[in-house]
Amino acid sequence: QVQLVESGGGLVQAGGSLRLSCASSGISFSNYALAWFRQAPGKEREFVAGISRSRGNTQYAEFAKARFTISRDNGRHMVYLQMNGLKPEDTAVYYCAAVWTQLSTTILESASYYGDWGQGTQVTVSS
């Protein structure tokens, strides 16, 4: 059974930083591309950042570039999202997601490709 468990969310002032973590089990971790998505109240779930399964290629939403960094530890079956320079508009529930990919460089931005999701962690940024 696939499990993805996020942690690290919380309340932070604008300009602050948070590091989200996602622990996985039940999958052959190194064969999966991983991503972070977020969903704010009344909005659709949106792609934040993704990382390919083994070569560590990364891709970011425009709003995340230069502020957020996604990384993975295949040995620990963990994926991380370092978020710096947080803004009130970053307030959302953040989810990690995993999808098996054939190619080692694939990163998928559409949530519809991902079949495995965590329960989410709340990030609240105060102004």
Side-chain angles (χ1 to χ4, degrees), residues 10-22:
L11 174 64
V12 64
Q13 287 188 331
S17 298
L18 283 173
R19 187 193 194 208
L20 306 183
S21 300
C22 176

Side-chain angles (χ1 to χ4, degrees), residues 7-8 16 26 30 34 39 63 65 77 80 94 102 106 120 122-123:
S7 61
S30 62
L34 303 160
Q39 188 165 19
F63 63 80
K65 290 179 181 177
H77 292 197
Y80 306 98
Y94 284 71
Q102 184 172 9
T106 299
Q122 176 70 46
V123 171

